[in-house]
Amino acid sequence: MRPARQALAALAVLALITGALGFKEHEFKKCKTASFCDRNRGQARGGTYRVDPASLALSGPELRAALLNSAAPGVALNLTLRAYGGGVVRLIVDEPGAGRYHVPDILLPDLESRAEDWQAAASDRGAWRASAGPAAVELSFSPFKLTLSVGGAPAAVVNSRSLFGFEHRRNKTDSDPAGWWDETFLSHPDSKPRGPEAISLDLAFPGAARVYGIPERATNLALAPTAGAEPYRLYNLDVFEYLEHSPFGLYGSIPFMLAHRAGLTVGAFWLNAAEMFVDLETTRAGPATQWVAESGALDLFLLPGPGPADVAAQYAALTGPTAMPQMFAIGYHQCRWNYKDEADVAEVDAGFDDHAIPYDVIWLDIEHTVGKRYMTWDSSLFPDPKKMQDDVASRGRKMVTIVDPHVKRDAGYPIHKEASEKGYYVRNKDGREFDGWCWPGSSSYLDVTNPEVRSWWAQQFALDKYQGSTPNLYIWNDMNEPSVFNGPEVTMPKDALHHGDWEHRDIHNIFGYYYHLATSEGLALRGRAVHGSDGDRPFVLSRAFFAGTQRVGPIWTGDNAAQWSHLKVSIPMLLTLGVTGLPYSGADVGGFFGNPDVELLTRWYQVGAYYPFFRGHAHLETQRREPWLFGDDATARIRAAIRGRYALLPYMYTLFRHANLTGAPVMRPLWYEFPSNAAVFEEEAAFMLGPALLVAPVLAAGVDHVDAPLPRESQWYESVSGQAMRAAPPAAGADQAVRVGVHMEGIPVFYRGGHIVPRRDRPRRSTAQQARDPFTLVVALDWEGSAKGDLYVDDGRSFAFRRGIYAHRSFEFEGGRLRCAAATAAAGAPPGRLSTDLAIERIVVLGLPQGREWEAILTPAAGKPRRLPAARGGADAGLDPKQGAAVVVRAGRVPVGADWEIEFREAGPARS
Ligand SMILES: *[C@@H]1O[C@H](CO)[C@@H](O)[C@H](O)[C@H]1NC(C)=O
Ligand SMILES: *[C@@H]1O[C@H](CO)[C@@H](O)[C@H](O)[C@H]1NC(C)=O
Ligand SMILES: *[C@@H]1O[C@H](CO)[C@@H](O)[C@H](O)[C@H]1NC(C)=O
């Protein structure tokens, strides 16, 4: 969030960001104005690199060698090559004795125990070769080159274009080029006491058709080549009014790229938290990239796939899978800068009930505090915050307050006093407390890179420390890039100092992660204090992020604008986060800046209902936009969109469990589900929610049709009519787009043949009130008459699922029989042993032959078969019954937790 105009005008110190609104390009560096990028971009600097064959030493999973540089004979770099399960390969290049920063706390602690010995290692004069699982590597000696092959063909190659470079430590001389030992951007000097220390990584993906990843930026899903343009930048920044279609880096960074073609997906993850630029070129051999990081070490993981889900699982095995959210956290969130006072909160809360719109969480932005001293309450506006939270909680809902990493420098503010006394702040280059300007005015920043500071910070969330908080209060971390209004590029100077005397330069991109982590640990501690050992799953939303953030909590895409272009770009932004391991993310519905008209707001809710994280939010200066303020028609449409979300929560919660087990994204690009279908490699309007739903959103005003790109591999059913979209599989090469008319009531969504989707169709006020509701199963048959799906249930709140207190059920329809059984327990998870008494009340089958009546016979595991009422229809499952496309079985209460089978039999011609 960034300043309101009037607040800005009052702050003379903010001269840089006052004036007209809009993205201030000149306020931010480009490659040319970042010395390390400028001197490395596109250049093979500093001679050729070669591996010294005499230095090779293999020990189990680890090969070591010296990497020599013709231009720096005195410097031998250490090269390490390790193999892990599944063919994941790690290349580390470091400079002995230089004490370079290696990013801690991101890789899973048991990773090294999963290292696996290299197989069939052999070397000759030119190269060392070995294999690891499905992958083979070749380390060529001179020049240095590393090739990862999958299925016998090179898939990822390091240094094929000789752009590798490693700026070794040196002493200052009089003839050193400008920019090595200091540089200034605008009026901000950067003393660079260690001199040049950048690393250039040359990484090509032979044969790949597209590359994806390296969030966060507002641009296309398939990354465009950067020749003649700016490289992609990874540097967490608070970017005011960001542009769509820009390579510019936004609030978070994940240095992870995927390369894809029909038949093979591979990934590359460079664990480095310094500023980074990435160039992409399309060569005849395939995409070729150059990554330049300002400092740190090269620590590169190559993930061999071969499928998109394999890459997701390989990445999750390195950095961890998604934390399982509470059920409330995937409901709808209502936020505004600001809900003014307790009466405003009560009114908005009641407004949802008055208009029968479900919602789960109401949020308070910075104005609820005393002068932006976080964890305080302005008592004239919020005299009784506990009563307010208890009242909201009495209807099964939660509240969220904002807590930012800048701490007001006020000796009367206990958090500041204690942090300062304990020496817990980031220091400037001279060792004094760093003092920067942010919301509260003069502020210092907790040095969350220090584990002691993190554990102190976590303790501040205890109920007796955070006055006015209750167990139903959760947290939002904003401004944690960190945002420093008067700092270079609105952040901290790179020569500021952290724990262990690391420069901010080294740790910049993980600062926000650490703050988010410490806050989340605070809620976990509180949860154990309140609820005992099964605790309470934390909910902390963050704006800044890094690889590993998925283990901590959700993020949102920051300060977007109420424009169609920002609705549109939200989709590739979220899809990119999904495939780079951070699926729990969303964009502000309605757009943060500006006032959406009713059509844009309605369309945004209709799309946002499918975002993994679903929150409406608006800037201080915007008009109020609670969902009922735009007339009855709009209220009804927004209600329908949000109810549609709630109906899908059993499916989404199950998708989150898959993300939690395997790293699979929740919202997925079409290519992830149809990796061989080249026609969808660039699709970034339509998307998949899990494997079973395709959403074809409306992303412009006045639209009366959408060409839905329905991949030819599957049968599809329009989700309102239940109508099958194709009579038979289309021929290869046939156009896949199907034109569908649209109206303002909704956007086109399709069930994918072959899949079963669990729903809850009774309209409720919140997830808490849905918790006991029976389910509907929508069975969408493929062309062979089969389908499968699953349903995951647990208490929706605690960590008890980690000790097996969950039920995971699988459904399979084949040969006219629908079977329910226990899902196979995932590797690493204890088998589910929750005996749930939840039930299925309705089964909707799409794709049974038309023109016939059907009967359904239930055979329980124990007991006698019985007939269930079956008829064509579907109105109560969100389907239009006139179409007669669905066969609906009124199941009564068929238990979810028991094994059973339902046989579908033809019962004669249709009665009309
Ligand atoms: C570099 O490699 C040598 C030889 O393998 C080893 O003795 C040394 O410890 C390594 N240094 C570092 C900093 O890894
Ligand atoms: C820098 O100079 C010091 C003192 O002259 C010397 O000990 C050191 O080895 C030099 N370092 C490098 C990297 O050349
Ligand atoms: C799932 O999420 C929980 C946190 O909610 C985490 O502790 C766990 O490691 C995750 N993965 C698995 C496989 O349970």
Side-chain angles (χ1 to χ4, degrees), residues 445-482:
Y445 291 71
L446 293 170
D447 184 10
V448 282
T449 65
N450 181 348
E452 185 184 326
V453 176
R454 291 201 298 278
S455 80
W456 174 81
W457 181 239
Q459 288 158 27
Q460 308 308 311
F461 291 88
L463 291 175
D464 58 348
K465 284 261 185 181
Y466 184 173
Q467 296 293 315
S469 69
T470 70
N472 292 301
L473 185 68
Y474 296 86
I475 304 296
W476 169 21
N477 291 158
D478 192 7
M479 316 294 280
N480 53 336
E481 294 72 26

mmCIF file of all heavy atoms in Angstrom, residues 445-482:
data_model
loop_
_atom_site.group_PDB
_atom_site.id
_atom_site.type_symbol
_atom_site.label_atom_id
_atom_site.label_comp_id
_atom_site.label_asym_id
_atom_site.label_seq_id
_atom_site.Cartn_x
_atom_site.Cartn_y
_atom_site.Cartn_z
ATOM 1 N N TYR A 445 13.756 -0.858 11.575
ATOM 2 C CA TYR A 445 13.272 -2.113 10.998
ATOM 3 C C TYR A 445 13.885 -3.282 11.764
ATOM 4 O O TYR A 445 15.111 -3.369 11.899
ATOM 5 C CB TYR A 445 13.662 -2.178 9.508
ATOM 6 C CG TYR A 445 12.910 -1.163 8.667
ATOM 7 C CD1 TYR A 445 13.192 0.206 8.779
ATOM 8 C CD2 TYR A 445 11.901 -1.554 7.795
ATOM 9 C CE1 TYR A 445 12.488 1.144 8.030
ATOM 10 C CE2 TYR A 445 11.192 -0.624 7.044
ATOM 11 C CZ TYR A 445 11.489 0.721 7.165
ATOM 12 O OH TYR A 445 10.791 1.640 6.432
ATOM 13 N N LEU A 446 13.019 -4.156 12.238
ATOM 14 C CA LEU A 446 13.511 -5.323 12.972
ATOM 15 C C LEU A 446 14.400 -6.159 12.066
ATOM 16 O O LEU A 446 14.033 -6.435 10.922
ATOM 17 C CB LEU A 446 12.324 -6.168 13.441
ATOM 18 C CG LEU A 446 11.445 -5.483 14.488
ATOM 19 C CD1 LEU A 446 10.170 -6.297 14.705
ATOM 20 C CD2 LEU A 446 12.203 -5.296 15.790
ATOM 21 N N ASP A 447 15.531 -6.568 12.578
ATOM 22 C CA ASP A 447 16.429 -7.386 11.766
ATOM 23 C C ASP A 447 16.012 -8.852 11.860
ATOM 24 O O ASP A 447 16.592 -9.654 12.598
ATOM 25 C CB ASP A 447 17.878 -7.210 12.201
ATOM 26 C CG ASP A 447 18.810 -7.991 11.282
ATOM 27 O OD1 ASP A 447 18.316 -8.482 10.232
ATOM 28 O OD2 ASP A 447 19.990 -8.112 11.604
ATOM 29 N N VAL A 448 15.007 -9.176 11.081
ATOM 30 C CA VAL A 448 14.427 -10.517 11.151
ATOM 31 C C VAL A 448 15.318 -11.592 10.529
ATOM 32 O O VAL A 448 14.964 -12.772 10.548
ATOM 33 C CB VAL A 448 13.031 -10.538 10.513
ATOM 34 C CG1 VAL A 448 12.006 -9.940 11.460
ATOM 35 C CG2 VAL A 448 13.029 -9.787 9.177
ATOM 36 N N THR A 449 16.479 -11.195 9.989
ATOM 37 C CA THR A 449 17.409 -12.239 9.545
ATOM 38 C C THR A 449 18.054 -12.910 10.765
ATOM 39 O O THR A 449 18.654 -13.974 10.641
ATOM 40 C CB THR A 449 18.527 -11.689 8.632
ATOM 41 O OG1 THR A 449 19.343 -10.786 9.389
ATOM 42 C CG2 THR A 449 17.948 -10.947 7.439
ATOM 43 N N ASN A 450 17.929 -12.281 11.923
ATOM 44 C CA ASN A 450 18.481 -12.829 13.166
ATOM 45 C C ASN A 450 17.433 -13.737 13.839
ATOM 46 O O ASN A 450 16.349 -13.282 14.172
ATOM 47 C CB ASN A 450 18.836 -11.644 14.082
ATOM 48 C CG ASN A 450 19.441 -12.087 15.401
ATOM 49 O OD1 ASN A 450 19.400 -13.269 15.753
ATOM 50 N ND2 ASN A 450 19.986 -11.143 16.139
ATOM 51 N N PRO A 451 17.770 -15.023 14.051
ATOM 52 C CA PRO A 451 16.769 -15.938 14.635
ATOM 53 C C PRO A 451 16.285 -15.477 16.009
ATOM 54 O O PRO A 451 15.132 -15.711 16.366
ATOM 55 C CB PRO A 451 17.504 -17.286 14.724
ATOM 56 C CG PRO A 451 18.913 -17.045 14.321
ATOM 57 C CD PRO A 451 19.014 -15.697 13.684
ATOM 58 N N GLU A 452 17.160 -14.827 16.746
ATOM 59 C CA GLU A 452 16.756 -14.343 18.076
ATOM 60 C C GLU A 452 15.682 -13.248 17.947
ATOM 61 O O GLU A 452 14.726 -13.204 18.725
ATOM 62 C CB GLU A 452 18.000 -13.792 18.796
ATOM 63 C CG GLU A 452 17.750 -13.380 20.220
ATOM 64 C CD GLU A 452 19.005 -12.754 20.849
ATOM 65 O OE1 GLU A 452 20.129 -13.182 20.512
ATOM 66 O OE2 GLU A 452 18.839 -11.832 21.661
ATOM 67 N N VAL A 453 15.847 -12.388 16.952
ATOM 68 C CA VAL A 453 14.846 -11.337 16.725
ATOM 69 C C VAL A 453 13.527 -11.978 16.291
ATOM 70 O O VAL A 453 12.451 -11.589 16.751
ATOM 71 C CB VAL A 453 15.344 -10.325 15.672
ATOM 72 C CG1 VAL A 453 14.264 -9.295 15.357
ATOM 73 C CG2 VAL A 453 16.615 -9.644 16.159
ATOM 74 N N ARG A 454 13.620 -12.982 15.437
ATOM 75 C CA ARG A 454 12.387 -13.635 14.986
ATOM 76 C C ARG A 454 11.656 -14.268 16.155
ATOM 77 O O ARG A 454 10.437 -14.182 16.251
ATOM 78 C CB ARG A 454 12.688 -14.702 13.927
ATOM 79 C CG ARG A 454 13.160 -14.142 12.606
ATOM 80 C CD ARG A 454 12.966 -15.130 11.468
ATOM 81 N NE ARG A 454 13.721 -16.370 11.600
ATOM 82 C CZ ARG A 454 14.997 -16.510 11.266
ATOM 83 N NH1 ARG A 454 15.672 -15.489 10.768
ATOM 84 N NH2 ARG A 454 15.607 -17.671 11.391
ATOM 85 N N SER A 455 12.397 -14.903 17.069
ATOM 86 C CA SER A 455 11.656 -15.568 18.135
ATOM 87 C C SER A 455 11.096 -14.534 19.111
ATOM 88 O O SER A 455 9.995 -14.696 19.624
ATOM 89 C CB SER A 455 12.467 -16.683 18.783
ATOM 90 O OG SER A 455 13.356 -16.151 19.700
ATOM 91 N N TRP A 456 11.818 -13.429 19.302
ATOM 92 C CA TRP A 456 11.267 -12.326 20.115
ATOM 93 C C TRP A 456 10.007 -11.759 19.459
ATOM 94 O O TRP A 456 8.988 -11.532 20.111
ATOM 95 C CB TRP A 456 12.332 -11.241 20.277
ATOM 96 C CG TRP A 456 11.839 -10.002 20.959
ATOM 97 C CD1 TRP A 456 11.701 -9.810 22.303
ATOM 98 C CD2 TRP A 456 11.410 -8.781 20.332
ATOM 99 N NE1 TRP A 456 11.213 -8.549 22.547
ATOM 100 C CE2 TRP A 456 11.028 -7.896 21.356
ATOM 101 C CE3 TRP A 456 11.317 -8.351 18.996
ATOM 102 C CZ2 TRP A 456 10.551 -6.606 21.094
ATOM 103 C CZ3 TRP A 456 10.858 -7.069 18.737
ATOM 104 C CH2 TRP A 456 10.484 -6.214 19.779
ATOM 105 N N TRP A 457 10.097 -11.565 18.165
ATOM 106 C CA TRP A 457 8.952 -10.989 17.443
ATOM 107 C C TRP A 457 7.741 -11.932 17.539
ATOM 108 O O TRP A 457 6.609 -11.505 17.778
ATOM 109 C CB TRP A 457 9.337 -10.717 15.986
ATOM 110 C CG TRP A 457 8.232 -10.113 15.166
ATOM 111 C CD1 TRP A 457 7.678 -10.628 14.025
ATOM 112 C CD2 TRP A 457 7.547 -8.873 15.414
ATOM 113 N NE1 TRP A 457 6.701 -9.799 13.561
ATOM 114 C CE2 TRP A 457 6.593 -8.716 14.392
ATOM 115 C CE3 TRP A 457 7.640 -7.902 16.413
ATOM 116 C CZ2 TRP A 457 5.736 -7.621 14.329
ATOM 117 C CZ3 TRP A 457 6.789 -6.802 16.353
ATOM 118 C CH2 TRP A 457 5.849 -6.674 15.316
ATOM 119 N N ALA A 458 7.995 -13.219 17.399
ATOM 120 C CA ALA A 458 6.895 -14.190 17.463
ATOM 121 C C ALA A 458 6.166 -14.096 18.806
ATOM 122 O O ALA A 458 4.940 -14.205 18.876
ATOM 123 C CB ALA A 458 7.432 -15.602 17.228
ATOM 124 N N GLN A 459 6.950 -13.847 19.863
ATOM 125 C CA GLN A 459 6.321 -13.780 21.202
ATOM 126 C C GLN A 459 5.394 -12.584 21.366
ATOM 127 O O GLN A 459 4.528 -12.576 22.241
ATOM 128 C CB GLN A 459 7.402 -13.730 22.281
ATOM 129 C CG GLN A 459 8.126 -15.061 22.448
ATOM 130 C CD GLN A 459 9.497 -14.887 23.079
ATOM 131 O OE1 GLN A 459 9.725 -13.925 23.822
ATOM 132 N NE2 GLN A 459 10.399 -15.796 22.773
ATOM 133 N N GLN A 460 5.565 -11.569 20.519
ATOM 134 C CA GLN A 460 4.722 -10.375 20.657
ATOM 135 C C GLN A 460 3.257 -10.661 20.319
ATOM 136 O O GLN A 460 2.384 -9.852 20.589
ATOM 137 C CB GLN A 460 5.231 -9.227 19.755
ATOM 138 C CG GLN A 460 6.704 -8.888 19.917
ATOM 139 C CD GLN A 460 7.098 -8.646 21.361
ATOM 140 O OE1 GLN A 460 6.422 -7.885 22.072
ATOM 141 N NE2 GLN A 460 8.140 -9.307 21.816
ATOM 142 N N PHE A 461 2.994 -11.816 19.703
ATOM 143 C CA PHE A 461 1.623 -12.117 19.302
ATOM 144 C C PHE A 461 0.854 -12.895 20.366
ATOM 145 O O PHE A 461 -0.294 -13.263 20.154
ATOM 146 C CB PHE A 461 1.612 -12.849 17.950
ATOM 147 C CG PHE A 461 2.048 -11.947 16.838
ATOM 148 C CD1 PHE A 461 3.388 -11.816 16.515
ATOM 149 C CD2 PHE A 461 1.121 -11.165 16.162
ATOM 150 C CE1 PHE A 461 3.802 -10.945 15.526
ATOM 151 C CE2 PHE A 461 1.524 -10.285 15.173
ATOM 152 C CZ PHE A 461 2.866 -10.174 14.852
ATOM 153 N N ALA A 462 1.507 -13.142 21.512
ATOM 154 C CA ALA A 462 0.778 -13.781 22.619
ATOM 155 C C ALA A 462 -0.397 -12.876 23.002
ATOM 156 O O ALA A 462 -0.306 -11.653 22.914
ATOM 157 C CB ALA A 462 1.722 -13.976 23.801
ATOM 158 N N LEU A 463 -1.488 -13.497 23.423
ATOM 159 C CA LEU A 463 -2.690 -12.704 23.706
ATOM 160 C C LEU A 463 -2.444 -11.644 24.775
ATOM 161 O O LEU A 463 -3.029 -10.569 24.734
ATOM 162 C CB LEU A 463 -3.843 -13.623 24.120
ATOM 163 C CG LEU A 463 -4.384 -14.514 22.993
ATOM 164 C CD1 LEU A 463 -5.430 -15.480 23.545
ATOM 165 C CD2 LEU A 463 -4.970 -13.679 21.858
ATOM 166 N N ASP A 464 -1.564 -11.949 25.744
ATOM 167 C CA ASP A 464 -1.341 -10.951 26.795
ATOM 168 C C ASP A 464 -0.330 -9.885 26.368
ATOM 169 O O ASP A 464 -0.169 -8.872 27.033
ATOM 170 C CB ASP A 464 -0.912 -11.627 28.104
ATOM 171 C CG ASP A 464 0.350 -12.462 27.936
ATOM 172 O OD1 ASP A 464 0.766 -12.712 26.775
ATOM 173 O OD2 ASP A 464 0.933 -12.875 28.946
ATOM 174 N N LYS A 465 0.354 -10.097 25.259
ATOM 175 C CA LYS A 465 1.280 -9.080 24.749
ATOM 176 C C LYS A 465 0.559 -8.156 23.775
ATOM 177 O O LYS A 465 0.694 -6.936 23.848
ATOM 178 C CB LYS A 465 2.443 -9.750 24.008
ATOM 179 C CG LYS A 465 3.463 -10.368 24.907
ATOM 180 C CD LYS A 465 4.628 -9.431 25.047
ATOM 181 C CE LYS A 465 5.739 -10.094 25.849
ATOM 182 N NZ LYS A 465 6.853 -9.197 26.020
ATOM 183 N N TYR A 466 -0.127 -8.759 22.824
ATOM 184 C CA TYR A 466 -0.848 -7.967 21.834
ATOM 185 C C TYR A 466 -2.195 -7.621 22.449
ATOM 186 O O TYR A 466 -3.156 -8.371 22.327
ATOM 187 C CB TYR A 466 -0.994 -8.772 20.533
ATOM 188 C CG TYR A 466 -1.632 -8.045 19.364
ATOM 189 C CD1 TYR A 466 -1.673 -8.647 18.107
ATOM 190 C CD2 TYR A 466 -2.196 -6.771 19.483
ATOM 191 C CE1 TYR A 466 -2.249 -8.019 17.018
ATOM 192 C CE2 TYR A 466 -2.777 -6.131 18.398
ATOM 193 C CZ TYR A 466 -2.802 -6.762 17.180
ATOM 194 O OH TYR A 466 -3.382 -6.140 16.096
ATOM 195 N N GLN A 467 -2.220 -6.481 23.133
ATOM 196 C CA GLN A 467 -3.423 -6.062 23.840
ATOM 197 C C GLN A 467 -4.567 -5.895 22.843
ATOM 198 O O GLN A 467 -4.377 -5.355 21.764
ATOM 199 C CB GLN A 467 -3.179 -4.723 24.552
ATOM 200 C CG GLN A 467 -2.116 -4.790 25.635
ATOM 201 C CD GLN A 467 -2.557 -5.652 26.810
ATOM 202 O OE1 GLN A 467 -3.694 -5.537 27.272
ATOM 203 N NE2 GLN A 467 -1.688 -6.537 27.271
ATOM 204 N N GLY A 468 -5.739 -6.374 23.253
ATOM 205 C CA GLY A 468 -6.909 -6.198 22.395
ATOM 206 C C GLY A 468 -7.034 -7.258 21.324
ATOM 207 O O GLY A 468 -7.934 -7.198 20.489
ATOM 208 N N SER A 469 -6.112 -8.241 21.319
ATOM 209 C CA SER A 469 -6.241 -9.315 20.325
ATOM 210 C C SER A 469 -6.969 -10.499 20.942
ATOM 211 O O SER A 469 -6.980 -10.661 22.162
ATOM 212 C CB SER A 469 -4.862 -9.745 19.809
ATOM 213 O OG SER A 469 -4.116 -10.402 20.814
ATOM 214 N N THR A 470 -7.571 -11.308 20.107
ATOM 215 C CA THR A 470 -8.262 -12.518 20.550
ATOM 216 C C THR A 470 -7.814 -13.667 19.644
ATOM 217 O O THR A 470 -7.180 -13.421 18.601
ATOM 218 C CB THR A 470 -9.797 -12.377 20.414
ATOM 219 O OG1 THR A 470 -10.117 -12.375 19.003
ATOM 220 C CG2 THR A 470 -10.316 -11.092 21.057
ATOM 221 N N PRO A 471 -8.161 -14.892 19.991
ATOM 222 C CA PRO A 471 -7.749 -16.020 19.133
ATOM 223 C C PRO A 471 -8.374 -15.979 17.736
ATOM 224 O O PRO A 471 -7.969 -16.753 16.870
ATOM 225 C CB PRO A 471 -8.243 -17.254 19.906
ATOM 226 C CG PRO A 471 -8.348 -16.802 21.325
ATOM 227 C CD PRO A 471 -8.757 -15.361 21.257
ATOM 228 N N ASN A 472 -9.331 -15.087 17.518
ATOM 229 C CA ASN A 472 -9.932 -14.996 16.181
ATOM 230 C C ASN A 472 -9.327 -13.876 15.343
ATOM 231 O O ASN A 472 -9.893 -13.494 14.319
ATOM 232 C CB ASN A 472 -11.441 -14.811 16.303
ATOM 233 C CG ASN A 472 -12.083 -16.065 16.871
ATOM 234 O OD1 ASN A 472 -11.953 -17.140 16.285
ATOM 235 N ND2 ASN A 472 -12.720 -15.947 18.024
ATOM 236 N N LEU A 473 -8.214 -13.358 15.812
ATOM 237 C CA LEU A 473 -7.547 -12.291 15.069
ATOM 238 C C LEU A 473 -6.323 -12.860 14.342
ATOM 239 O O LEU A 473 -5.488 -13.535 14.957
ATOM 240 C CB LEU A 473 -7.095 -11.179 16.025
ATOM 241 C CG LEU A 473 -6.492 -9.948 15.345
ATOM 242 C CD1 LEU A 473 -7.559 -9.180 14.562
ATOM 243 C CD2 LEU A 473 -5.830 -9.023 16.356
ATOM 244 N N TYR A 474 -6.227 -12.572 13.059
ATOM 245 C CA TYR A 474 -5.091 -13.023 12.245
ATOM 246 C C TYR A 474 -4.399 -11.790 11.644
ATOM 247 O O TYR A 474 -4.844 -10.658 11.879
ATOM 248 C CB TYR A 474 -5.567 -14.039 11.201
ATOM 249 C CG TYR A 474 -6.111 -15.292 11.877
ATOM 250 C CD1 TYR A 474 -7.437 -15.366 12.295
ATOM 251 C CD2 TYR A 474 -5.272 -16.362 12.160
ATOM 252 C CE1 TYR A 474 -7.929 -16.483 12.961
ATOM 253 C CE2 TYR A 474 -5.748 -17.491 12.827
ATOM 254 C CZ TYR A 474 -7.070 -17.548 13.228
ATOM 255 O OH TYR A 474 -7.536 -18.654 13.889
ATOM 256 N N ILE A 475 -3.324 -12.013 10.918
ATOM 257 C CA ILE A 475 -2.416 -10.895 10.636
ATOM 258 C C ILE A 475 -2.103 -10.737 9.147
ATOM 259 O O ILE A 475 -2.068 -11.706 8.392
ATOM 260 C CB ILE A 475 -1.083 -11.078 11.419
ATOM 261 C CG1 ILE A 475 -1.355 -11.222 12.927
ATOM 262 C CG2 ILE A 475 -0.114 -9.907 11.170
ATOM 263 C CD1 ILE A 475 -1.963 -10.004 13.614
ATOM 264 N N TRP A 476 -1.812 -9.485 8.813
ATOM 265 C CA TRP A 476 -1.456 -9.091 7.454
ATOM 266 C C TRP A 476 -0.148 -8.321 7.537
ATOM 267 O O TRP A 476 -0.061 -7.329 8.243
ATOM 268 C CB TRP A 476 -2.585 -8.219 6.914
ATOM 269 C CG TRP A 476 -2.371 -7.483 5.643
ATOM 270 C CD1 TRP A 476 -1.473 -7.734 4.661
ATOM 271 C CD2 TRP A 476 -3.146 -6.350 5.217
ATOM 272 N NE1 TRP A 476 -1.639 -6.833 3.642
ATOM 273 C CE2 TRP A 476 -2.657 -5.975 3.951
ATOM 274 C CE3 TRP A 476 -4.210 -5.633 5.771
ATOM 275 C CZ2 TRP A 476 -3.183 -4.902 3.237
ATOM 276 C CZ3 TRP A 476 -4.733 -4.571 5.060
ATOM 277 C CH2 TRP A 476 -4.234 -4.212 3.801
ATOM 278 N N ASN A 477 0.877 -8.785 6.845
ATOM 279 C CA ASN A 477 2.175 -8.095 6.762
ATOM 280 C C ASN A 477 2.279 -7.390 5.416
ATOM 281 O O ASN A 477 2.391 -8.030 4.372
ATOM 282 C CB ASN A 477 3.351 -9.083 6.853
ATOM 283 C CG ASN A 477 3.539 -9.744 8.204
ATOM 284 O OD1 ASN A 477 4.151 -10.816 8.292
ATOM 285 N ND2 ASN A 477 3.036 -9.141 9.264
ATOM 286 N N ASP A 478 2.293 -6.073 5.468
ATOM 287 C CA ASP A 478 2.457 -5.273 4.255
ATOM 288 C C ASP A 478 3.851 -4.635 4.310
ATOM 289 O O ASP A 478 4.541 -4.724 5.336
ATOM 290 C CB ASP A 478 1.350 -4.206 4.260
ATOM 291 C CG ASP A 478 1.195 -3.490 2.934
ATOM 292 O OD1 ASP A 478 1.846 -3.889 1.952
ATOM 293 O OD2 ASP A 478 0.402 -2.531 2.886
ATOM 294 N N MET A 479 4.288 -3.999 3.252
ATOM 295 C CA MET A 479 5.476 -3.134 3.250
ATOM 296 C C MET A 479 6.760 -3.876 3.629
ATOM 297 O O MET A 479 7.735 -3.266 4.047
ATOM 298 C CB MET A 479 5.292 -1.961 4.241
ATOM 299 C CG MET A 479 3.930 -1.295 4.200
ATOM 300 S SD MET A 479 3.583 -0.433 2.645
ATOM 301 C CE MET A 479 4.473 1.096 2.910
ATOM 302 N N ASN A 480 6.792 -5.180 3.482
ATOM 303 C CA ASN A 480 7.938 -5.942 3.983
ATOM 304 C C ASN A 480 8.984 -6.253 2.917
ATOM 305 O O ASN A 480 9.784 -7.175 3.077
ATOM 306 C CB ASN A 480 7.480 -7.225 4.700
ATOM 307 C CG ASN A 480 6.561 -8.109 3.879
ATOM 308 O OD1 ASN A 480 5.887 -7.645 2.972
ATOM 309 N ND2 ASN A 480 6.503 -9.384 4.199
ATOM 310 N N GLU A 481 9.029 -5.439 1.863
ATOM 311 C CA GLU A 481 10.078 -5.654 0.821
ATOM 312 C C GLU A 481 11.483 -5.413 1.358
ATOM 313 O O GLU A 481 12.396 -6.078 0.892
ATOM 314 C CB GLU A 481 9.798 -4.732 -0.373
ATOM 315 C CG GLU A 481 8.517 -5.075 -1.103
ATOM 316 C CD GLU A 481 7.245 -4.706 -0.332
ATOM 317 O OE1 GLU A 481 7.332 -3.779 0.497
ATOM 318 O OE2 GLU A 481 6.207 -5.341 -0.537
ATOM 319 N N PRO A 482 11.851 -4.507 2.250
ATOM 320 C CA PRO A 482 10.979 -3.604 2.979
ATOM 321 C C PRO A 482 10.793 -2.293 2.221
ATOM 322 O O PRO A 482 11.678 -1.865 1.463
ATOM 323 C CB PRO A 482 11.780 -3.341 4.261
ATOM 324 C CG PRO A 482 13.203 -3.412 3.822
ATOM 325 C CD PRO A 482 13.244 -4.439 2.719
#
